[in-house]
Amino acid sequence: MSNFTKYLSKNWLDDPKSNILSGLVVAFAMIPEAIAFSGIAGVDPKVGLYGAFCLSITIAILGGRRGMITSATGSTALLMTGVVAIGEAQAPGTNLGLSYLIAAGLLTGVFQILWGYLRLAYQMRFVPTGVLSGFVNALALLIFQAQFLQLGIGINEGKLLENELSKYPTNSQIPTVWILVILGLIVIYGFPKITKVIPSQLVAIVLLTLISVFFKLEIPTVSDLGTLPNGFPSLSLPFGELANGKVPFNLSTLGVILPTSLAISLVGLMETFLTQDILDDATDTSSNKNKEARGQGIANIISSLFGGMAGCALVGQSVMNNENGGKSRLSTLISGLSLLLMIILLKPWIGAIPMAALVAIMITIAISTADLTGLKNIRKIPKSDTAVMLMTFAVTMLTKPHNLALGVIAGVGLAAILFSRKVAKVITVSRVKGKNQITYKVEGQLFFVSKIYFLQGFDIHEHPKDILIDMSLAHIWDQSGVVALDQIIRKFKNSGSKVEIIGLNKESLNLFERLGGLETSH
């Protein structure tokens, strides 16, 4: 059997029936989410739907994990709100916000390809659980908050354009919307107790749409959000004249999109790698995260070139696909193709879906996204982990616009500081006094945090004739460690003692001598 035949058998032709059926089911579940995430980002539904289509098709071929679903997501959509708002503020009523979003997606893809070649996946293995918990909790709250306007909460008519008011319920419509949302939640959580063959989110959408159409309810629908796809996406670039709703290809545009693109590239890969870990564990297989990073980057570039939004792997849909038997690349491909075909064929019905149905779905996504287990056990978790989780959560929520990437960076930074403090206390200095000689034995790691404990272990006011410092069980990691040891040596010598250092390992000795350390015996 040739290598190509083996590749086809393993990646595409394994149990085609289960993979095709699973792809169809996942496509149904992706439609409402792609539309809802478009609303969060502040763009037309077709942007999220085109993104879901292009991302799924591309990642099916180039991804590093079989059977994983990639689409527009809440974490990436939330990060796009800033550039869309900037574009809308510069030229209200144009597509400038969308052009900024697409340009940011192109740069996001470039970053992710770079991260793949730089093997960023290996570095992300060191992200603490507390950071991941804070990340998903902040993401859950942001997704939930994004539904407030559709629930009639916090609508400021003075700040909204006239064509935007129709997207949200009026005071008379709010009770109806709330009733439908509650009904949708009941269906979503109750229907799986009857059967799990059909996604409960899909059942909720069909039921609420039928109720809305039958009773002719005057409430916001998907068609009020903007344009739905009329066909397959076409190739286009976001660069051009501002008057035409395009962004100039210059450093000014780069300054606008760079922070957003960098954040999306990192947050998207973090969620993707988390999804990979879940699927690897569920299937007892391994996958290539660096290949996946490069595939995600190419997929985001292709999605942006065809008018779609950037995205990443979806945890819920990927798990659903795996549980339904979708374990090959064929299931991912079918999900993308089916999604767009269903949108085109069912466009009138898609446009009639009440926004209340999507709000119900997004609320359930927010709940499933949150680390509820961690929150329940918060009193049992070490205080340091809780502090890291709260730091990640707080920085994300306090930044304007909300920035998940900054939250992760702050959480990792705090975790590093707290860990360093723990490690610092491991170093010990013992003292043995003899006739005209004192021997100091150092055990542990000497670096910038532990140097204070190292220095406290020496009695610099006692000056015997000979002082021996035994470093056999110690290791010097950085310049701070070298300076601390050199400081002790200098103080003892200035007081008239003869100082001898023994036992430095090769790495510590090289560092000590390179930075101008004193003579040692070894």
Side-chain angles (χ1 to χ4, degrees):
M1 184 182 291
S2 66
N3 290 335
F4 181 69
T5 304
K6 289 180 180 178
Y7 168 80
L8 286 177
S9 176
K10 181 178 180 180
N11 290 274
W12 294 94
L13 303 178
D14 181 31
D15 193 6
K17 179 182 177 182
S18 296
N19 281 278
I20 291 172
L21 291 176
S22 181
L24 287 169
V25 172
V26 169
F28 275 111
M30 288 168 64
I31 291 173
E33 291 190 10
I35 294 172
F37 294 141
S38 299
I40 289 176
V43 293
D44 288 344
K46 69 176 182 180
V47 180
L49 292 167
Y50 280 156
F53 166 72
C54 294
L55 290 167
S56 296
I57 299 298
T58 308
I59 214 68
I61 301 170
L62 300 176
R65 165 78 234 181
R66 301 188 303 274
M68 190 162 72
I69 304 299
T70 294
S71 180
T73 64
S75 58
T76 55
L78 286 164
L79 294 169
M80 298 173 190
T81 57
V83 290
V84 174
I86 290 172
E88 294 301 324
Q90 289 180 358
T94 68
N95 286 324
L96 190 58
L98 174 61
S99 295
Y100 272 127
L101 180 147
I102 292 174
L106 290 170
L107 186 56
T108 294
V110 173
F111 276 131
Q112 289 180 327
I113 294 172
L114 178 63
W115 303 149
Y117 281 110
L118 292 178
R119 299 178 179 272
L120 184 66
Y122 294 119
Q123 310 306 319
M124 285 194 170
R125 291 180 301 172
F126 304 113
V127 175
T129 301
V131 173
L132 293 176
S133 178
F135 169 81
V136 296
N137 287 332
L139 175 59
L141 182 57
L142 290 173
I143 292 174
F144 181 69
Q145 282 185 338
Q147 311 313 308
F148 282 3
L149 291 178
Q150 290 295 344
L151 291 169
I153 301 172
I155 296 177
N156 189 338
E157 296 185 5
K159 293 185 178 180
L160 293 174
L161 298 174
E162 187 175 343
N163 64 338
E164 291 180 326
L165 290 174
S166 62
K167 298 179 181 179
Y168 309 114
T170 61
N171 289 334
S172 61
Q173 296 171 346
I174 290 175
T176 304
V177 168
W178 276 73
I179 291 172
L180 289 178
V181 170
I182 293 171
L183 178 60
L185 291 172
I186 293 172
V187 172
I188 291 171
Y189 285 116
F191 191 76
K193 296 179 180 179
I194 301 173
T195 179
K196 293 183 180 180
V197 175
I198 304 175
S200 59
Q201 295 95 332
L202 179 61
V203 176
I205 287 175
V206 172
L207 177 61
L208 296 189
T209 302
L210 290 174
I211 292 174
S212 177
V213 171
F214 182 79
F215 291 101
K216 298 180 180 179
L217 300 178
E218 294 292 331
I219 55 175
T221 62
V222 168
S223 60
D224 293 322
L225 288 182
T227 309
L228 287 167
N230 291 315
F232 287 91
S234 57
L235 182 67
S236 64
L237 287 173
F239 306 109
E241 298 294 329
L242 286 172
N244 298 324
K246 302 287 187 177
V247 295
F249 188 77
N250 56 25
L251 292 178
S252 176
T253 298
L254 179 63
V256 173
I257 66 173
L258 180 60
T260 298
S261 299
L262 189 58
I264 294 173
S265 70
L266 294 173
V267 170
L269 287 186
M270 179 176 290
E271 190 167 351
T272 297
F273 294 158
L274 177 63
T275 306
Q276 273 187 275
D277 287 338
I278 292 172
L279 291 183
D280 287 351
D281 181 61
T283 58
D284 290 326
T285 57
S286 60
S287 56
N288 190 329
K289 289 185 178 178
N290 292 307
K291 180 181 178 181
E292 182 65 33
R294 297 191 292 270
Q296 291 281 336
I298 296 171
N300 279 323
I301 290 174
I302 291 176
S303 173
S304 300
L305 288 174
F306 284 90
M309 61 196 292
C312 64
L314 287 166
V315 178
Q317 275 66 28
S318 297
V319 172
M320 177 193 297
N321 188 43
N322 179 69
E323 291 177 347
N324 291 337
K327 294 179 171 59
S328 76
R329 297 180 184 273
L330 181 62
S331 62
T332 308
L333 180 70
I334 293 297
S335 69
L337 289 173
S338 303
L339 179 142
L340 194 64
L341 288 173
M342 285 188 288
I343 288 296
I344 295 172
L345 296 175
L346 302 176
K347 181 179 177 180
W349 280 98
I350 298 295
I353 295 174
M355 287 304 301
L358 300 187
V359 170
I361 290 173
M362 295 310 296
I363 290 174
T364 61
I365 290 175
I367 294 172
S368 63
T369 298
D371 180 19
L372 298 179
T373 303
L375 293 174
K376 289 177 183 177
N377 297 324
I378 195 166
R379 292 184 179 181
K380 302 177 183 178
I381 296 172
K383 291 182 180 179
S384 58
D385 290 347
T386 301
V388 169
M389 185 270 286
L390 292 176
M391 172 64 80
T392 306
F393 179 84
V395 171
T396 299
M397 298 307 299
L398 292 176
T399 49
K400 299 293 181 181
H402 302 297
N403 196 319
L404 288 160
L406 285 180
V408 170
I409 293 171
V412 170
L414 179 60
I417 292 172
L418 294 175
F419 176 73
S420 297
R421 288 184 61 188
K422 291 179 181 178
V423 173
K425 296 178 181 179
V426 173
I427 196 166
T428 59
V429 180
S430 57
R431 177 172 174 270
V432 178
K433 188 174 182 180
K435 186 177 181 181
N436 295 323
Q437 177 178 306
I438 295 178
T439 300
Y440 290 95
K441 189 167 186 176
V442 183
E443 298 182 39
Q445 312 302 314
L446 180 54
F447 63 114
F448 71 98
V449 178
S450 64
K451 74 172 188 177
I452 184 66
Y453 300 99
F454 170 79
L455 294 172
Q456 289 173 353
F458 294 88
D459 185 357
I460 59 174
H461 301 294
E462 189 172 5
H463 312 294
K465 181 180 179 182
D466 297 310
I467 291 180
L468 183 68
I469 301 177
D470 185 355
M471 301 287 291
S472 302
L473 300 178
H475 186 96
I476 302 176
W477 287 100
D478 60 8
Q479 185 180 9
S480 296
V482 172
V483 170
L485 180 57
D486 193 53
Q487 181 181 340
I488 289 296
I489 296 171
R490 188 176 65 255
K491 286 185 176 182
F492 280 133
K493 282 196 169 187
N494 290 341
S495 300
S497 299
K498 180 183 178 182
V499 182
E500 183 180 5
I501 310 295
I502 63 171
L504 275 176
N505 59 39
K506 184 178 180 180
E507 292 82 5
S508 300
L509 179 62
N510 289 339
L511 179 63
F512 196 70
E513 293 178 341
R514 191 167 68 248
L515 296 178
L518 302 175
E519 294 181 2
T520 61
S521 296
H522 53 87

